[in-house]
Amino acid sequence: MKRFLPWIIVGVIIIGMYSWIKGINNTAVTMNQTVEQSWGDVQTAYQRRNDLIGNLVNTVKGAADFERSTLTAVIEARAKATSTTIDPTNITPEKLAEFNKAQSGVSSSLSRLLVSVERYPELKANQNFLKLQDELASTENQILTSRTRFNEAVKPYNSHIKTFPNSLFAGMFGFKDKAYFTAVEGADAPVEVKF
């Protein structure tokens, strides 16, 4: 029995190390999947907004002799926002900033559009327009919620892969930091509304 004791101890240590490293990897995989699901929710919310913009623009066009430049700005911002995509497995701060910038262009253009239509009483009374306006407000709330949940999913993932000794193995398994959503440049300034 004494002859096998060192082999048993080595075997127990190897099994223990394997289980510990497997736990680090599997936890990181699970948390990464949560981050990717949250990112999918963010994209779904933005897609809903982009889908509504087409209906809003058509309603505004049909109901008012409207300024072309404002409508064009909304359409161009929407096109730019839909062309900016991020691979959820590789969300870097730079790519997230680019995505954020494109989406803020849509928000800015929509704000100008909604402020501009205040000059058109027949449009403000249009039920389709009012419903679309409510849908957009609801969608903006969904976007905020999705972005918040995304950040909430990123935090435990980043904490898990950065804490010692997990950080030793996370890099070997290919796990990298995920970027958080942050406010876009100029978001701290109040929005100027002109009639």
Side-chain angles (χ1 to χ4, degrees):
M1 181 70 178
K2 280 188 172 183
R3 219 172 52 168
F4 295 113
L5 187 59
W7 291 106
I8 292 172
I9 292 172
V10 168
V12 167
I13 290 172
I14 289 172
I15 289 171
M17 290 291 288
Y18 170 77
S19 296
W20 177 63
I21 292 171
K22 183 179 88 168
I24 290 171
N25 181 65
N26 290 349
T27 302
V29 167
T30 301
M31 291 177 163
N32 189 43
Q33 288 299 306
T34 302
V35 169
E36 288 184 23
Q37 177 194 3
S38 296
W39 179 248
D41 294 343
V42 168
Q43 288 181 312
T44 299
Y46 279 121
Q47 183 61 50
R48 181 172 190 253
R49 178 174 70 178
N50 289 333
D51 293 345
L52 286 171
I53 288 172
N55 293 332
L56 178 67
V57 167
N58 289 335
T59 301
V60 171
K61 263 189 211 175
D65 177 21
F66 203 69
E67 304 161 14
R68 291 249 175 255
S69 62
T70 305
L71 288 173
T72 303
V74 171
I75 293 166
E76 287 173 358
R78 175 185 177 217
K80 185 175 181 183
T82 56
S83 69
T84 305
T85 58
I86 295 179
D87 175 12
T89 60
N90 190 21
I91 300 174
T92 63
E94 296 79 24
K95 290 180 182 177
L96 193 57
E98 179 185 337
F99 180 84
N100 233 357
K101 186 176 179 183
Q103 295 302 331
S104 71
V106 175
S107 297
S108 175
S109 297
L110 274 176
S111 296
R112 283 194 305 275
L113 174 67
L114 295 174
V115 167
S116 296
V117 298
E118 290 294 322
R119 290 184 245 157
Y120 297 92
E122 69 280 359
L123 184 58
K124 290 192 300 186
N126 182 317
Q127 291 302 314
N128 289 336
F129 178 75
L130 294 174
K131 182 170 180 354
L132 283 169
Q133 204 172 10
D134 286 344
E135 288 291 327
L136 280 170
S138 169
T139 300
E140 292 300 322
N141 287 334
Q142 287 178 2
I143 289 170
L144 173 63
T145 301
S146 295
R147 289 173 62 157
T148 302
R149 288 183 180 154
F150 174 78
N151 282 349
E152 288 170 354
V154 168
K155 182 182 178 185
Y157 168 82
N158 282 350
S159 296
H160 178 74
I161 67 165
K162 287 182 174 181
T163 55
F164 184 81
N166 298 357
S167 59
L168 298 174
F169 300 103
M172 288 185 341
F173 296 137
F175 295 105
K176 299 176 194 161
D177 284 11
K178 303 284 186 192
Y180 288 99
F181 266 106
T182 57
V184 292
E185 190 175 321
D188 55 341
V191 177
E192 186 177 329
V193 178
K194 292 180 182 177
F195 290 102

